[in-house]
Amino acid sequence: VGKTDVAIVVIGTVEAHGVHLPVGCDLFSAIAVAEEVARRREVLLPPPIPVAFLFRTSSPTVSLRVETMRHLLDDYFRSLSEIGVSKIVVLSGCGQPISALSALCKELGEKHGVKVILTRVKMLIRDEVEEFCGEGDTHGLLGDVDHARMQGGSCQEGEDWV
């Protein structure tokens, strides 16, 4: 780590959105955003977590129980803390139940003495569309830079270190 005390932990669902996008576009878009941030700033990018909490959807989804995700994030946060990371950005794909994930981040951040901020890819992209997993996912994944450009600056309204 040495040069940075910030890590971005990517969590993305692996689910189908239709014939126009590949399975895993939530994960792919979150990884792309994290890699772009890492290109611009010194941050650590541990391996992404390619699964989500168990939730109901009309498409096949790879998911974990909340308790399993708790254990996984506990190990991630512990390990990152041990190598000198003091701030963790959890970057979620669009399918996560954010309230449960937020509670886990707060609990585990306190346990390991790290500050944690939780955000979603679509909160970091301008011209966000209201429709869940619709046009915004397509533009973000296919790289329409004029439509899905990263916002500069700090956290969006409603985000904070938990």
Side-chain angles (χ1 to χ4, degrees), residues 18 23 25 29 42 59 61 67 76 83 86 89-90 93 96-97 99 105 109-110 123 127 141 145 148 152 154:
V23 171
C25 68
S29 61
E42 288 285 334
S59 61
T61 302
E67 193 57 33
Y76 261 68
I83 62 172
S86 63
V89 176
V90 176
Q96 295 289 325
S99 60
C105 287
E110 290 172 0
M123 293 181 77
D127 301 327
L141 185 68
V145 178
S154 60

Side-chain angles (χ1 to χ4, degrees), residues 7-70:
I8 300 176
V9 175
V10 171
I11 301 175
T13 57
V14 177
E15 65 178 323
H17 289 290
V19 297
H20 68 297
L21 291 175
V23 171
C25 68
D26 293 335
L27 177 63
F28 301 151
S29 61
I31 290 170
V33 169
E35 287 175 346
E36 179 62 20
V37 171
R39 190 181 69 74
R40 297 177 187 201
R41 302 276 190 261
E42 288 285 334
V43 297
L44 179 67
L45 292 179
I49 301 172
V51 290
F53 288 118
L54 183 62
F55 64 99
R56 298 194 188 283
T57 179
S58 60
S59 61
T61 302
V62 177
S63 59
L64 297 176
R65 292 175 291 132
V66 173
E67 193 57 33
T68 305
M69 184 64 84
R70 174 182 278 113

Side-chain angles (χ1 to χ4, degrees), residues 116-131:
V116 180
I117 189 168
L118 170 61
T119 191
R120 293 182 187 201
V121 170
K122 69 181 192 173
M123 293 181 77
L124 300 175
I125 295 178
R126 279 194 201 156
D127 301 327
E128 175 186 337
V129 293
E130 296 293 321
E131 191 175 319

Side-chain angles (χ1 to χ4, degrees), residues 133-147:
C133 294
E135 183 182 356
D137 275 350
T138 303
H139 285 289
L141 185 68
L142 299 178
D144 183 348
V145 178
D146 290 333
H147 184 275

